Amino acid sequence: MKNYFYLQYKIINRSFVEFGIPVIIGYLIILGGFFIGSEKLFQKVDYAYLIYIVLYAGFTLQLSNFDRNRFLQSCFSQEKYFKLRLIENYALAFPFVLYLIYKQNYLVISFILVLAAILSFIKFDAVFQKTIPTPFSKKPFEFAIGFRKTFYVFAIVFFVLIKAIDVSNLNLGIFSIVACFAIIFSYYSFPENSYYVWNFSLTPKEFLWNKIRVSLQYSSYLVVPFVSILCFFFFKEFESILIFTFLGYLFTIAGVLAKYSAYPEKMNVVQGVFLAFSLYFPPLLVVVIPIFYFQAIKNLKIIL
């Protein structure tokens, strides 16, 4: 197991180097960003502890992937496999627990620690090897693949929405919409093989607009039910809900363009910084989106 964790450590370090930032700075950015994000969350949302639990469960369930667990079980004995899962789950819980100690919320800490132990026994077995029907076609592939990997997260987000209605907390409801867009954004995190781009008989401009059109259409399949339910129960605040929805669509467009502005490489730290600043100051998207667009056109001209 020692070699396995050392390998994971090296992989994380390498990702920082590929982004062009020193390793120590990368860790400080993540820890600092996590603390600031947590502080904002607990300042602005009444039921932040609930979101905290959902976020932790969402991250940890990513480790329950069938192929990943099958590989681990082929490498380790059953006893070592469960120890490894337990260590990973508690390692992921560490920053959450650290912040909750700062907030002196020991009840939620206990819940997360118990949840970490329970989730170490969960893996998506043969049931989830079956092809899960989605409302998305194979073209483009991002939504079909992404939805099959994250469908359970939508169930968690839907629970948050129901809780928001139950406690009449609009902020919690808006968080569920933002979470939907964040999940969708993750579908564009990794570049596809250039062959799948070259396969399109389109100009770079036509290719990008096709990607954006489909991303907006498919995003609506996932987001509109949440927005409709929230508007129904918080009708007086429907303008705020629609504003956040509109911003979510803009970030989706920015995500598509950011992917191809770095193509065929993964998004780098520059795109990440632009998007992070846009989160805090959404009007910046008016500048960021055209920059990504023209960079994407330039990159795609080489392939299309």
Side-chain angles (χ1 to χ4, degrees):
M1 286 199 296
K2 183 180 176 182
N3 291 335
Y4 170 80
F5 286 113
Y6 181 71
L7 178 62
Q8 298 304 313
Y9 170 72
K10 298 292 285 185
I11 290 173
I12 294 171
N13 289 353
R14 186 184 300 168
S15 68
F16 289 134
V17 173
E18 288 177 352
F19 272 127
I21 55 177
V23 172
I24 186 66
I25 299 296
Y27 282 111
L28 289 175
I29 289 174
I30 289 177
L31 290 175
F34 183 84
F35 182 83
I36 293 171
S38 299
E39 193 70 3
K40 292 281 185 187
L41 179 67
F42 276 79
Q43 285 176 358
K44 294 183 178 297
V45 181
D46 293 337
Y47 291 86
Y49 69 90
L50 184 63
I51 295 174
Y52 231 46
I53 293 170
V54 170
L55 285 174
Y56 172 69
F59 285 131
T60 308
L61 283 172
Q62 296 290 329
L63 302 177
S64 301
N65 175 273
F66 174 79
D67 291 332
R68 176 179 181 277
N69 282 275
R70 183 174 59 178
F71 171 75
L72 291 176
Q73 285 180 304
S74 68
C75 297
F76 301 102
S77 66
Q78 195 71 355
E79 183 185 355
K80 286 187 176 180
Y81 163 74
F82 281 116
K83 279 184 181 176
L84 185 147
R85 288 291 311 274
L86 204 58
I87 293 171
E88 284 184 329
N89 286 5
Y90 280 124
L92 270 179
F94 179 72
F96 291 88
V97 169
L98 204 61
Y99 183 77
L100 289 169
I101 290 174
Y102 164 71
K103 300 296 287 186
Q104 297 184 336
N105 197 332
Y106 300 110
L107 181 63
V108 180
I109 290 173
S110 304
F111 187 85
I112 285 181
L113 292 178
V114 172
L115 185 64
I118 294 172
L119 292 180
S120 66
F121 292 96
I122 293 178
K123 63 178 180 179
F124 299 133
D125 55 17
V127 173
F128 297 101
Q129 292 183 66
K130 296 177 181 176
T131 302
I132 300 169
T134 78
F136 314 114
S137 68
K138 295 179 182 177
K139 296 179 181 179
F141 64 92
E142 287 94 346
F143 275 79
I145 294 175
F147 182 78
R148 288 190 174 108
K149 287 182 177 178
T150 60
F151 69 94
Y152 55 87
V153 185
F154 282 100
I156 297 172
V157 175
F158 187 72
F159 171 75
V160 173
L161 176 67
I162 297 300
K163 190 66 181 176
I165 295 167
D166 182 41
V167 299
S168 298
N169 188 317
L170 177 63
N171 289 337
L172 200 58
I174 287 176
F175 171 80
S176 68
I177 295 174
V178 174
C180 284
F181 279 113
I183 297 167
I184 292 166
F185 187 87
S186 71
Y187 298 168
Y188 292 91
S189 301
F190 297 97
E192 67 270 40
N193 189 296
S194 57
Y195 171 78
Y196 295 107
V197 174
W198 172 83
N199 203 32
F200 282 84
S201 180
L202 298 171
T203 65
K205 184 178 177 181
E206 291 170 337
F207 176 82
L208 282 178
W209 282 111
N210 181 56
K211 282 279 185 178
I212 291 171
R213 178 185 60 77
V214 176
S215 72
L216 295 180
Q217 178 188 346
Y218 286 1
S219 298
S220 299
Y221 293 169
L222 297 171
V223 173
V224 167
F226 285 82
V227 174
S228 302
I229 293 172
L230 205 59
C231 284
F232 180 79
F233 286 97
F234 296 92
F235 184 72
K236 290 182 180 177
E237 294 89 357
F238 80 95
E239 289 181 350
S240 300
I241 298 168
L242 293 182
I243 287 172
F244 275 94
T245 306
F246 175 71
L247 289 175
Y249 279 120
L250 283 182
F251 273 104
T252 302
I253 294 172
V256 175
L257 296 176
K259 172 183 173 180
Y260 291 103
S261 71
Y263 196 80
E265 304 296 330
K266 290 195 292 186
M267 287 188 212
N268 57 39
V269 71
V270 177
Q271 279 97 3
V273 168
F274 271 124
L275 291 169
F277 275 113
S278 299
L279 276 173
Y280 280 99
F281 188 62
L284 194 61
L285 285 170
V286 177
V287 177
V288 168
I289 288 178
I291 290 175
F292 285 165
Y293 174 75
F294 288 112
Q295 286 180 336
I297 291 286
K298 182 181 176 183
N299 290 338
L300 291 171
K301 277 182 179 176
I302 302 171
I303 301 169
L304 290 170

